[in-house]
Amino acid sequence: MMKRWMMSCLVLFVAMTTMQAQNVQLHYDFGRHIFSDEEPNRQKVTLTLEHFKADKWGSWFYFVDVDMSRKFTESAYLEISREFKFGKQSPFSAHVEYNGGLNRHGSFQQAALVGAAWNGHVADFSKTWSVQLLYKQYFKSYENSRSYASVQLTGVWKLVFAHKALTFSGFVDLWRGENAAGHGQLVFLTEPQLWYNLNTLWGEDGINLSVGTEWEMSNNFIFNTTNGKTFFFNPTLAVKWTF
């Protein structure tokens, strides 16, 4: 049963990545060097597939993170969302989202989110932003998990500047999570990225490659039984190809 379910997820994953994918990123992660006691087995490499598409009803967005270590493919994590605009010129949208995935020990705890989003941009789309307030429902996804309700506040941004040579983008999430004892706690996660776009050296028809970095910063997000530390900073060096 599990093998058939994993194969179905793989087929869906492949189908999604062949439909107008926006970019693919490859990150080398330094977290296990910075926090060698707390994260000695953190993945070395993350492959990210990311896609955004707007249409007359709203927009689709998804990303898939595939974490890889020297010996294993550690996990594949997916977030996919759909937004429906409240009006043709309205900045407000209804937002529906699913979070979940698999790791080599089993699965991530699945969650469904629904709420409202406020989206905006400047005329040339060099600055875009989104603020989302969402009800979040966790599901019992494995033996030691339980279903519970939560609320999440999300901000997303993208800024293109320096004659399109640099892109600063990312997200920040705040939500109510639960610790191992089942007590509520505020979880913080942000992953700002800074990219240098190499196509600006050779023109718009040149190579669509970017080089850059991502800084994952979190509190109460990474499960740590070593010393009680809750805040982590995990930077990467990365390359990105935009389609």
Side-chain angles (χ1 to χ4, degrees):
M1 180 68 177
M2 177 60 73
K3 289 183 178 180
R4 290 200 301 270
W5 182 70
M6 292 177 66
M7 183 60 67
S8 297
C9 290
L10 179 61
V11 170
L12 176 62
F13 170 81
V14 172
M16 289 171 58
T17 60
T18 59
M19 295 188 298
Q20 304 180 47
Q22 186 178 2
N23 68 69
V24 58
Q25 306 169 20
L26 189 66
H27 295 261
Y28 183 83
D29 194 294
F30 294 95
R32 72 192 184 286
H33 300 299
I34 299 173
F35 298 102
S36 56
D37 293 333
E38 299 87 353
E39 297 187 289
N41 298 316
R42 184 176 175 85
Q43 78 279 358
K44 293 183 177 181
V45 174
T46 297
L47 176 70
T48 298
L49 298 165
E50 189 177 72
H51 173 70
F52 172 83
K53 181 173 176 57
D55 55 42
K56 63 181 180 180
W57 298 287
S59 63
W60 282 100
F61 174 77
Y62 75 82
F63 75 84
V64 181
D65 280 343
V66 181
D67 292 333
M68 294 171 282
S69 63
R70 184 167 60 89
K71 294 182 179 180
F72 303 100
T73 297
E74 298 287 341
S75 64
Y77 175 76
L78 164 72
E79 291 190 7
I80 181 168
S81 64
R82 173 70 203 187
E83 290 194 351
F84 298 94
K85 293 187 293 186
F86 289 143
K88 188 173 182 180
Q89 302 300 324
S90 175
F92 297 101
S93 297
H95 183 103
V96 181
E97 183 176 331
Y98 167 80
N99 302 167
L102 300 173
N103 58 53
R104 65 185 178 93
H105 302 292
S107 67
F108 292 98
Q109 187 167 13
Q110 301 178 84
L113 301 90
V114 61
W118 173 61
N119 305 311
H121 60 83
V122 298
D124 64 354
F125 288 88
S126 61
K127 300 182 183 70
T128 62
W129 61 87
S130 177
V131 179
Q132 303 156 15
L133 181 60
L134 307 169
Y135 169 81
K136 188 173 189 177
Q137 178 64 50
Y138 281 99
F139 302 102
K140 181 176 175 58
S141 303
Y142 47 89
E143 184 176 353
N144 295 323
S145 66
R146 73 179 194 92
S147 62
Y148 66 93
S150 178
V151 176
Q152 179 169 305
L153 179 65
T154 293
V156 184
W157 73 90
K158 183 175 181 181
L159 173 64
V160 181
F161 60 104
H163 303 288
K164 299 183 179 181
L166 295 173
T167 300
F168 178 54
S169 60
F171 71 88
V172 57
D173 287 335
L174 283 170
W175 74 93
R176 179 194 176 275
E178 290 190 352
N179 60 23
H183 300 301
Q185 60 183 8
L186 182 64
V187 184
F188 167 80
L189 174 65
T190 185
E191 295 182 5
Q193 298 181 341
L194 181 65
W195 299 99
Y196 181 76
N197 304 313
L198 295 177
N199 62 1
T200 58
L201 298 177
W202 299 287
E204 295 294 333
D205 295 328
I207 187 170
N208 290 325
L209 184 68
S210 302
V211 294
T213 181
E214 176 182 275
W215 290 9
E216 179 191 282
M217 293 173 281
S218 67
N219 193 58
N220 289 327
F221 177 67
I222 294 175
F223 185 68
N224 173 27
T225 59
T226 303
N227 55 17
K229 184 186 292 293
T230 62
F231 179 81
F232 289 87
F233 164 60
N234 296 304
T236 75
L237 286 178
V239 293
K240 177 175 69 171
W241 185 275
T242 302
F243 295 92

